[in-house]
Amino acid sequence: MPAFASAEPASVPTELVPPEPEAQRAHRARLDSILRAAGMIGWEGDVERNRVHHLGDVEALTGSAWRPGWRFTHFVHPDDRLRFAETLRDCWLNDTEYAQEFRVVRTDGGVRWVSDVGRPAIFPDGRRWMSGVLTDITARKQAEAAAQASRARLDYALQAARMTAWDWDPQTGMVIHTADLNHNLDTDEVIKRREQLAELMHPEDRARVLSIFETAFVNGTDYHAEYRLRRPDGGYGWVASSGRALDGPDGRRRMSGVMTDITDRKTAELHRDLLINELNHRVKNTLAVIQGVAAQTFRGREDEPARVFQGRLMALSTAHNVLTGQGWESASLARIVEDAVRPFTPKGDEARIVARGPDLPVAPKSAVAIAMAIHELASNAVKYGALSVPDGRVTLDWTQSRDERFQLTWREAAGPTVRPPARRGFGLRMIERGLATELGGSVHIDFRPEGLLCTIDAPLPRPTPEETLHA
C-alpha cells in the first residue's frame, strides 16, 4: 500500500474531489463486496492528489476503521517499515510491478502477516496511480513456521541419530537430503545427484548397491543396502540405506528413505567376529585336550562309564561345531537334531530314526541343551529302548505353534516293554530338570509299556543379542 497517506492529517489541504457518478459508486460497492468475501483489501493511491482509497474490510486487518488522512505505514511493523517504504518507492519510480510481504500491527497489539501486490498505471488525464491488493497470509506464515520448526526438529533428531533422510526424483535425477550428508564424505561438493554418491561408494559395493536400488525402484518394492562410502581421511565408513518406491498423485514414481551411519556397528561386529573366532579356536583346543585326557584315562577300557563319557563329549563337540559354523548367532534345530542322532543311526538303516519338522532357528545355549538331551534319549534307547532291538523305531517330531512356542516329541515303538526306572540317572535328570530350566518350558517323560515318550513344550528359543555375544 502506498506510503503517501499520513497517519496524521495531511499538512496541506487537498483539492476538493467531485462526487462519483452513480454507476461508479455501484461498481465500487460491488467490488468492495467481492473483496470482503475473499478476505482481501483493495487499494489505489494518487500521489499527485495525496489520496488513498480502500475497498474491503480494513478494520478486520488493522483493528480500527480507516480514518481520512492516515498513512498505511502507521500499521506496518517497525522492523518491516523501512523495507516496505523502499520497495514501494522503487517500484513507483521504476514503473515496475510491486510485491512484498510484511507484518501489520493491529490497534489491539496483535500482529498479522500480509501479502501486498500492485502495479503503477497512468490514467487518460496523465495522472499516475498505483493500485493493488492486500491479502492476510497469517495462517500461511504460521503453517510455514510450524513446518520449518518441524523440519528443524527432524534434522536435529536425524543428526543426533547419525541419519539422513533422502528423496530421489528420477525425472530430474536430483537427490534431496535433510541433514548434512557431506560432513563425513570425501567431497567438497553438495551431494545433489545419485551419480555423485555412487562415485564415493567402495568399488566392491557399487555395482551391487545400484542393482538393488534399480530393482526396488522398477518393481515398486522396499530397498535396503549396506555399503561403504569414502571419507575425508581416505578411509571408508559404513552406511545402511533403506527406502521405498512410491507413486505420487501425478503418477510419477519417486524413491524416499533414510541413510544411517553404521560404522560403529560394523566395527563392533568385526571385533566380535575376531573374538568369536578366537573363542572357537580355544574351545576346539580345550575339547581336544579333554578328549585326549579321556582317551588316556579310559585306555583299554570298554566299560559303560567310558562309552557314556566319550558319547557326551562328542555330542557337546558336535553342537559347538554347528554353532561355530553360524557364528554363534543361532543354530538350525534341524541340523542340531540331525547331528545328534547320526552316531546312533547305522549306515544303511537310517529309517530307524525318523526326524521331521520345520527348520527353526534357536539360541546358542538352547541349541547345546537340546543336542545333549537328544543324545541322552538316543543313548537310553540304544541300551534299553527301541534301538536295542532290530525292529525298534524312533520318531522325532517338532512343530511351531502360532503363539511362538515349539513342541518336540520323542516317540519310541516296537521295542522291549518299558518299565519305569528304579532311580533317575544323570541323563534323565538333565532332560527333566536341566532342559526344562534352560528352555523355560516343560519336559515330560512317559515310560509307556509300548515305548518311551518324551514331550517338550517351550517358548521358541530365539537368539538374543546377549546370547549371541556371550553364549
Side-chain angles (χ1 to χ4, degrees), residues 72-87:
F72 194 79
T73 313
H74 176 73
F75 296 99
V76 177
H77 193 285
D79 293 342
D80 300 341
R81 193 170 292 159
L82 179 60
R83 173 174 58 84
F84 164 78
E86 290 180 345
T87 302

Side-chain angles (χ1 to χ4, degrees), residues 184-421:
N184 291 321
L185 298 181
D186 183 19
T187 178
D188 295 327
E189 299 180 3
V190 176
I191 300 296
K192 292 184 177 180
R193 307 188 68 85
R194 193 162 61 108
E195 294 78 7
Q196 292 176 276
L197 194 64
E199 287 297 321
L200 296 173
M201 291 181 186
H202 194 286
E204 296 176 2
D205 300 337
R206 188 178 299 132
R208 171 181 58 85
V209 174
L210 295 180
S211 175
I212 294 173
F213 187 92
E214 292 293 341
T215 300
F217 180 76
V218 171
N219 296 332
T221 56
D222 289 348
Y223 154 74
H224 180 76
E226 296 182 356
Y227 53 93
R228 290 160 288 181
L229 290 175
R230 191 169 65 246
R231 291 192 161 176
D233 59 4
Y236 284 87
W238 279 91
V239 297
S241 186
S242 300
R244 176 173 296 179
L246 297 174
D247 295 328
D250 58 357
R252 294 173 54 192
R253 177 169 293 181
R254 305 172 70 95
M255 181 80 86
S256 301
V258 294
M259 180 186 295
T260 308
D261 188 331
I262 59 170
T263 304
D264 291 345
R265 193 195 83 191
K266 285 292 187 177
T267 301
E269 288 176 356
L270 177 61
H271 183 62
R272 182 201 62 188
D273 291 343
L274 292 174
L275 291 178
I276 289 177
N277 290 336
E278 179 63 21
L279 174 64
N280 290 335
H281 179 70
R282 290 174 182 263
V283 168
K284 286 184 178 180
N285 286 345
T286 301
L287 289 174
V289 170
I290 294 175
Q291 287 175 331
V293 171
Q296 292 296 323
T297 302
F298 296 113
R299 175 181 291 182
R301 293 178 55 179
E302 298 294 334
D303 55 2
E304 183 67 12
R307 289 194 299 273
V308 170
F309 183 79
Q310 289 284 5
R312 288 169 177 165
L313 191 59
M314 288 303 298
L316 180 63
S317 177
T318 300
H320 274 256
N321 286 338
V322 174
L323 290 168
T324 297
Q326 298 187 19
W328 282 85
E329 293 184 355
S330 65
S332 161
L333 181 57
R335 175 74 184 280
I336 287 292
V337 171
E338 178 186 350
D339 288 350
V341 301
R342 183 179 293 114
F344 304 95
T345 307
K347 191 172 183 179
D349 195 15
E350 289 82 0
R352 296 196 68 188
I353 300 180
V354 177
R356 56 201 176 199
D359 191 9
L360 305 177
V362 296
K365 290 169 63 177
S366 301
V368 172
I370 292 172
M372 296 299 294
I374 294 175
H375 172 81
E376 293 300 326
L377 288 168
S379 297
N380 183 76
V382 168
K383 290 187 289 184
Y384 312 111
L387 298 183
S388 66
V389 296
D391 295 331
R393 295 289 183 270
V394 173
T395 303
L396 183 57
D397 295 302
W398 64 93
T399 59
Q400 178 183 358
S401 60
R402 291 183 178 180
D403 57 352
E404 290 297 306
R405 299 179 70 85
F406 83 104
Q407 294 76 38
L408 187 147
T409 303
W410 172 283
R411 183 181 288 104
E412 299 183 20
T417 301
V418 176
R419 297 180 178 82

Side-chain angles (χ1 to χ4, degrees), residues 69-190:
W70 273 11
R71 286 177 181 252
F72 194 79
T73 313
H74 176 73
F75 296 99
V76 177
H77 193 285
D79 293 342
D80 300 341
R81 193 170 292 159
L82 179 60
R83 173 174 58 84
F84 164 78
E86 290 180 345
T87 302
L88 185 61
R89 180 199 62 200
D90 291 344
C91 293
W92 175 260
L93 294 177
N94 297 318
D95 197 25
T96 57
E97 292 188 353
Y98 157 75
Q100 65 173 319
E101 295 176 355
F102 54 89
R103 289 164 292 178
V104 169
V105 181
R106 292 168 48 88
T107 55
D108 60 7
V111 177
R112 308 293 294 178
W113 272 95
V114 296
S115 170
D116 195 13
V117 296
R119 64 172 55 184
I122 301 177
F123 282 78
D125 61 3
R127 289 181 295 116
R128 296 183 66 193
W129 285 72
M130 194 163 190
S131 303
V133 176
L134 276 167
T135 306
D136 190 326
I137 59 170
T138 305
R140 192 197 83 192
K141 284 292 187 177
Q142 291 174 341
E144 290 175 352
Q148 186 175 3
S150 178
R151 179 69 173 268
R153 289 193 297 271
L154 175 61
D155 280 352
Y156 178 79
L158 290 171
Q159 291 173 4
R162 303 176 73 178
M163 300 174 67
T164 298
W166 53 265
D167 179 78
W168 178 63
D169 184 346
Q171 289 194 354
T172 64
M174 298 298 290
V175 179
I176 300 174
H177 295 275
T178 59
D180 185 11
L181 177 66
N182 292 64
H183 181 68
N184 291 321
L185 298 181
D186 183 19
T187 178
D188 295 327
E189 299 180 3
V190 176

